[in-house]
Amino acid sequence: MLITITRNRFKGEVAEGKLFIDGLYVCDTLENSRSCLSSGFYAIRITKCKQHKRNVICVEKYADERGKASMCHKCKLKEMVFNNTVMPQFCPQIKAGNGVHGRRDGSIIVGTRATFGCIISPRSAFDLLYERIRKNIERGKHVSLEIS
């Protein structure tokens, strides 16, 4: 399964894009342009986040794939964590959320574009994407991300 994010608009700290799975449009994306991932190929992994205390979609470089689990134990725990909470260390994830301002953790927010820099229905877009990724991983298929 190949997830492709095509960034099409940058302004200030907002980077907008479109997310495709195997060439088919799925949803829109928002990223903070000051901390977004560089163009290239990445591995997608579902892992239990110590901060969120639930499974999250992690984005990692292929070289970092083995060392990522060991980075989680270095993450300083916060008392209250929500979707828009900035992580204590750079930890790129695909997640639901309502904005990128002040977010410096490399997160990619998914949803439906309403206007520039504004995403609506992030939870429904994330849930559909999460299920597709989870099912492919359970079936033993490799899930990767290409950012262009």
Side-chain angles (χ1 to χ4, degrees):
M1 179 171 147
L2 176 64
I3 300 171
T4 307
I5 294 178
T6 306
R7 296 182 184 131
N8 53 16
R9 198 172 200 190
F10 288 88
K11 185 174 183 184
E13 46 176 29
V14 177
E16 284 188 346
K18 296 198 176 290
L19 188 140
F20 301 88
I21 295 180
D22 295 329
L24 299 174
Y25 171 77
V26 176
C27 62
D28 296 304
T29 64
L30 270 184
E31 298 173 75
N32 187 318
S33 61
R34 295 181 182 138
S35 65
C36 61
L37 296 169
S38 58
S39 297
F41 285 90
Y42 297 88
I44 297 287
R45 189 167 61 108
I46 293 180
T47 186
K48 180 121 180 175
C49 179
K50 189 169 96 172
Q51 295 290 340
H52 292 288
K53 296 182 178 46
R54 61 180 160 78
N55 288 338
V56 295
I57 303 171
C58 285
V59 179
E60 54 204 32
K61 289 188 176 190
Y62 283 106
D64 298 340
E65 205 167 348
R66 291 184 192 141
K68 192 64 170 183
S70 63
M71 295 278 295
C72 262
H73 76 279
K74 295 178 182 176
C75 196
K76 184 180 176 189
L77 279 175
K78 293 188 168 198
E79 286 185 33
M80 308 255 326
V81 177
F82 304 100
N83 279 337
N84 291 317
T85 302
V86 178
M87 294 294 105
Q89 65 185 17
F90 188 77
C91 183
Q93 299 175 4
I94 297 177
K95 57 172 62 170
N98 63 0
V100 295
H101 302 289
R103 187 183 298 273
R104 300 272 194 271
D105 55 2
S107 294
I108 302 168
I109 299 177
V110 295
T112 304
R113 182 184 189 273
T115 186
F116 180 75
C118 181
I119 291 267
I120 59 173
S121 305
R123 178 51 61 188
S124 59
F126 174 79
D127 289 344
L128 290 172
L129 184 62
Y130 179 85
E131 281 304 309
R132 289 181 77 173
I133 292 171
R134 184 187 62 78
K135 286 179 183 176
N136 274 282
I137 290 173
E138 281 181 1
R139 293 176 185 147
K141 296 182 181 177
H142 184 72
V143 181
S144 58
L145 170 68
E146 177 187 7
I147 298 178
S148 58

